[in-house]
Amino acid sequence: MVGEIGIKMNIKEILSADMFSYLYGFNEDENGNRPYQAFGSSWVSDYLDPVGNLKTMFHSSNTVPGCANQAMWKNADFDALIDKSYETTDDSKRVEYFIEASKIAADDCAYIPLYVPESVYAVSDKFTFTPSPQSFWNFSYTDFQVNK
C-alpha cells in the first residue's frame, strides 16, 4: 500500500564518506545528541542468530558512539530479555525472548520502517560464491560460479 502518512521533513543528503559518522554517532554534540531527528538506512545482520539485529539496533548498550542504535532508544525490559537470551542454549526459550523483545520495540515504535524490499534467498550446492574483497559493500553476481 502506498500513500501519505502525514510526516513532513526536510531531507539533507550526506556524502557517502560521512555516512558512518552519522550512522554510528561519531558526530554527537556535547549532550550526546546526534545531528538528525531521522536517519534513513538499512541493516542486515552479518550472522544468522536473530540477536544480531535485535541487540545491534535496539539494545541500550548500543546508544554510544561507534554503535548502531540510531534511534538512541532505551528500554530496560527489552534489554533484560535480550540479555537473558545469552544465558541459555535452548532455542525455543531464546525465540520466546526474541518475540517478547520485538513486541516491546514495536509497541514503543523504536523505528518506523518506511520501506521494506522484497528479498529472495536461495541455497544450492549448484553454485559457489567467491566474494571479492569489496563484496560486502559492492555485491556482484560475477562472484557466483556454476558448479559442474
Side-chain angles (χ1 to χ4, degrees), residues 74-90:
K74 296 179 182 182
N75 183 298
D77 295 332
F78 175 92
D79 290 350
L81 288 163
I82 295 303
D83 294 344
K84 283 171 63 172
S85 77
Y86 284 93
E87 298 171 4
T88 182
T89 57
D90 181 340

Side-chain angles (χ1 to χ4, degrees), residues 44-77:
V44 177
S45 184
D46 53 0
Y47 55 98
L48 297 178
D49 192 324
V51 81
N53 280 336
L54 292 172
K55 184 166 186 181
T56 302
M57 291 184 65
F58 297 98
H59 200 277
S60 296
S61 65
N62 287 322
T63 60
V64 298
C67 293
N69 183 338
Q70 298 163 11
M72 303 295 284
W73 177 74
K74 296 179 182 182
N75 183 298
D77 295 332

Side-chain angles (χ1 to χ4, degrees), residues 14-137:
I14 59 172
L15 297 173
S16 295
D18 295 335
M19 184 186 76
F20 288 110
S21 66
Y22 280 87
L23 179 65
Y24 295 118
F26 289 115
N27 54 0
E28 294 177 344
D29 66 17
E30 62 278 355
N31 298 316
N33 298 312
R34 296 183 182 187
Y36 53 83
Q37 293 177 329
F39 188 88
S41 69
S42 61
W43 189 266
V44 177
S45 184
D46 53 0
Y47 55 98
L48 297 178
D49 192 324
V51 81
N53 280 336
L54 292 172
K55 184 166 186 181
T56 302
M57 291 184 65
F58 297 98
H59 200 277
S60 296
S61 65
N62 287 322
T63 60
V64 298
C67 293
N69 183 338
Q70 298 163 11
M72 303 295 284
W73 177 74
K74 296 179 182 182
N75 183 298
D77 295 332
F78 175 92
D79 290 350
L81 288 163
I82 295 303
D83 294 344
K84 283 171 63 172
S85 77
Y86 284 93
E87 298 171 4
T88 182
T89 57
D90 181 340
D91 287 340
S92 62
K93 197 68 179 162
R94 293 185 81 224
V95 167
E96 289 177 30
Y97 295 144
F98 296 153
I99 290 171
E100 192 60 34
S102 296
K103 287 179 184 177
I104 291 169
D107 288 345
D108 278 6
C109 200
Y111 291 87
I112 301 173
L114 298 177
Y115 171 75
V116 178
E118 291 185 27
S119 298
V120 176
Y121 297 94
V123 177
S124 172
D125 59 2
K126 295 180 181 180
F127 298 94
T128 301
F129 176 65
T130 307
S132 66
Q134 295 296 319
S135 68
F136 185 76
W137 302 111

